[in-house]
Amino acid sequence: MNKQQASLFSCAYQALMTPEPLAKKAIIDATAIEWEQEQLTLEPVTVERVSKPGRPQKPALVPPRELVKRKISTVEGRAVIVHAVAHIEFNAMNLALDALYRFQEMPIDYYHDWLLVCIEEAYHCSLMLERLEQLGFQYGDFPAHNGLWEMAVQTDHSLLDRMGMVPRVFEARGLDVTPGMIKRFNGAQDHETVSRLEIILHDEIGHVAIGNRWFEYACKQAGVEVIPTFQKLLHKYMQGQVRGPFHTEARLEAGFSQHEMDILEAM
Ligand SMILES: [Fe+2]
């Protein structure tokens, strides 16, 4: 394909379907440079349902109850958690790519925002893969679960549902649990992992904020109110269940309102 005429959507799809994490990252980084240099078009491409994005043969995908658990005081125990975060970041890369590829009639800022998320998720994934290697393990050494991607598939028909559920529920959950994880790694004297998790936590606030921004946009387009719509989505996809406790300060920074946090607390 003539580079001059490549479409952002076809580049995103190509990265989405590429199996190896670092090869995926390389396509994202190259796409970002081309986008910056205004070499990409927004020429639409056919949108397919992506039930299986590109991923390596391992890790094996298992139900959450079959995930490995080890004591954090051991190197393997720390590697299990680093592996789980690497897997989340790998999925987050795919989710951001899918957000770019799937919704092709959005304002230009939407593509700036989601390409930035792609770049940062790819960077996070590489930070975790590198740390995993330093601990003597590789991506694929432990099983993983596929909950994030399953939610992506379930919401692939609607920008409103996707923005409401993925960044505002799943990614926001990352804001809640990462400080506790940082504390545990500090307790295990693993300051190298801590500094990497701190980068992730910081950037993730921005990703949830981007999700909030485009959820609000989707609500406005549909002529519906943000909070009742979010509650309806929680009932539709999660049987009205939300998991706390919440990292309220980070969530407020990411654009949740205090009123919304009060409602979540009450649920
Ligand atoms: Fe991330």
Side-chain angles (χ1 to χ4, degrees):
M1 194 188 284
N2 181 339
K3 272 195 171 178
Q4 240 49 37
Q5 293 171 345
S7 155
L8 174 69
F9 306 125
S10 61
C11 294
Y13 184 73
Q14 192 199 348
L16 180 61
M17 301 314 284
T18 295
E20 290 305 320
L22 294 181
K24 207 181 271 286
K25 180 180 188 297
I27 298 176
I28 290 171
D29 292 342
T31 300
I33 291 168
E34 288 182 53
W35 176 255
E36 184 103 330
Q37 294 172 346
E38 298 182 2
Q39 289 171 1
L40 299 176
T41 70
L42 291 173
E43 189 68 37
V45 299
T46 312
V47 181
E48 312 269 359
R49 163 160 276 195
V50 180
S51 42
K52 282 184 196 150
R55 52 178 298 271
Q57 286 193 322
K58 290 200 293 180
L61 299 177
V62 299
R65 65 175 183 281
E66 288 173 30
L67 293 173
V68 176
K69 283 199 176 121
R70 298 273 187 278
K71 284 199 176 114
I72 196 165
S73 53
T74 66
V75 173
E76 193 181 1
R78 286 185 277 131
V80 164
I81 302 173
V82 171
H83 187 278
V85 179
H87 180 69
I88 289 169
E89 300 299 338
F90 179 74
N91 269 300
M93 241 197 294
N94 283 341
L95 284 163
L97 286 167
D98 192 75
L100 277 185
Y101 156 70
R102 185 160 305 281
F103 303 109
Q104 298 184 2
E105 288 181 353
M106 296 295 291
I108 190 118
D109 280 355
Y110 176 90
Y111 304 110
H112 287 306
D113 278 356
W114 284 101
L115 192 51
L116 175 71
V117 179
C118 287
I119 296 164
E120 292 184 348
E121 301 296 19
Y123 172 56
H124 297 167
C125 186
S126 71
L127 284 177
M128 287 293 113
L129 293 178
E130 189 183 67
R131 184 65 191 135
L132 193 58
E133 240 172 63
Q134 291 168 359
L135 293 170
F137 294 86
Q138 280 186 350
Y139 187 50
D141 283 352
F142 304 106
H145 77 100
N146 202 29
L148 260 177
W149 193 257
E150 283 161 10
M151 185 54 70
V153 176
Q154 282 181 53
T155 56
D156 69 1
H157 61 290
S158 157
L159 176 80
L160 184 86
D161 290 30
R162 172 65 63 81
M163 295 294 134
M165 290 309 296
V166 173
R168 285 169 55 89
V169 176
F170 284 74
E171 297 192 71
R173 192 72 201 127
L175 301 183
D176 301 333
V177 301
T178 309
M181 206 184 280
I182 288 173
K183 212 172 157 189
R184 291 174 68 206
F185 276 95
N186 261 325
Q189 305 295 321
D190 184 344
H191 304 299
E192 181 56 42
T193 303
V194 167
S195 65
R196 290 167 192 243
L197 290 173
E198 280 169 346
I199 294 172
I200 291 177
L201 178 59
H202 168 269
D203 293 347
E204 227 59 63
I205 293 174
H207 302 175
V208 176
I210 286 172
N212 274 325
R213 175 183 189 186
W214 295 104
F215 180 63
E216 281 165 27
Y217 172 91
C219 286
K220 203 177 264 179
Q221 293 288 100
V224 295
E225 296 287 332
V226 168
I227 294 177
T229 304
F230 184 51
Q231 284 176 301
K232 273 188 204 159
L233 290 175
L234 290 175
H235 282 280
K236 181 174 173 186
Y237 292 103
M238 315 272 296
Q239 294 80 45
Q241 301 284 313
V242 283
R243 282 173 73 188
F246 305 112
H247 183 349
T248 305
E249 196 188 325
R251 281 177 175 252
L252 290 174
E253 206 182 317
F256 281 84
S257 67
Q258 186 59 55
H259 179 46
E260 238 176 322
M261 290 313 300
D262 294 343
I263 290 171
L264 286 174
E265 293 284 359
M267 287 173 84

Short mmCIF file of all heavy atoms in Angstrom, two decimals, residues 89 121 124 200 204 207, ligand 1:
data_model
loop_
_atom_site.label_atom_id
_atom_site.label_comp_id
_atom_site.label_asym_id
_atom_site.label_seq_id
_atom_site.Cartn_x
_atom_site.Cartn_y
_atom_site.Cartn_z
N GLU A 89 -2.18 -5.05 30.24
CA GLU A 89 -1.68 -4.00 29.34
C GLU A 89 -1.71 -4.45 27.88
O GLU A 89 -1.96 -3.67 26.98
CB GLU A 89 -0.26 -3.56 29.74
CG GLU A 89 -0.15 -3.01 31.16
CD GLU A 89 -0.99 -1.76 31.41
OE1 GLU A 89 -1.33 -1.07 30.44
OE2 GLU A 89 -1.32 -1.49 32.58
N GLU A 121 -0.37 2.37 26.33
CA GLU A 121 -0.62 0.98 26.74
C GLU A 121 0.51 0.08 26.23
O GLU A 121 0.95 -0.85 26.92
CB GLU A 121 -1.96 0.46 26.23
CG GLU A 121 -3.19 1.26 26.69
CD GLU A 121 -3.46 1.24 28.18
OE1 GLU A 121 -2.55 0.93 28.96
OE2 GLU A 121 -4.59 1.58 28.57
N HIS A 124 3.38 0.58 28.51
CA HIS A 124 3.14 -0.14 29.78
C HIS A 124 3.40 -1.63 29.60
O HIS A 124 4.01 -2.27 30.46
CB HIS A 124 1.70 0.03 30.26
CG HIS A 124 1.33 1.44 30.57
ND1 HIS A 124 0.03 1.84 30.77
CD2 HIS A 124 2.09 2.55 30.73
CE1 HIS A 124 0.01 3.13 31.05
NE2 HIS A 124 1.24 3.59 31.02
N ILE A 200 2.37 3.49 35.35
CA ILE A 200 1.11 2.98 34.82
C ILE A 200 -0.08 3.67 35.49
O ILE A 200 -1.00 4.14 34.82
CB ILE A 200 1.04 1.44 35.01
CG1 ILE A 200 2.06 0.77 34.06
CG2 ILE A 200 -0.36 0.90 34.78
CD1 ILE A 200 2.16 -0.74 34.18
N GLU A 204 -2.83 5.89 33.56
CA GLU A 204 -4.16 5.28 33.49
C GLU A 204 -5.26 6.29 33.87
O GLU A 204 -6.38 6.19 33.37
CB GLU A 204 -4.19 4.06 34.42
CG GLU A 204 -4.78 2.82 33.82
CD GLU A 204 -4.07 2.31 32.56
OE1 GLU A 204 -2.89 1.93 32.60
OE2 GLU A 204 -4.75 2.28 31.53
N HIS A 207 -6.26 7.79 30.78
CA HIS A 207 -7.04 6.91 29.90
C HIS A 207 -8.50 6.87 30.32
O HIS A 207 -9.40 6.88 29.49
CB HIS A 207 -6.47 5.49 29.88
CG HIS A 207 -5.05 5.44 29.45
ND1 HIS A 207 -4.30 4.29 29.46
CD2 HIS A 207 -4.22 6.42 28.98
CE1 HIS A 207 -3.09 4.56 29.03
NE2 HIS A 207 -3.02 5.85 28.74
FE FE B 1 -2.09 0.77 30.78
#
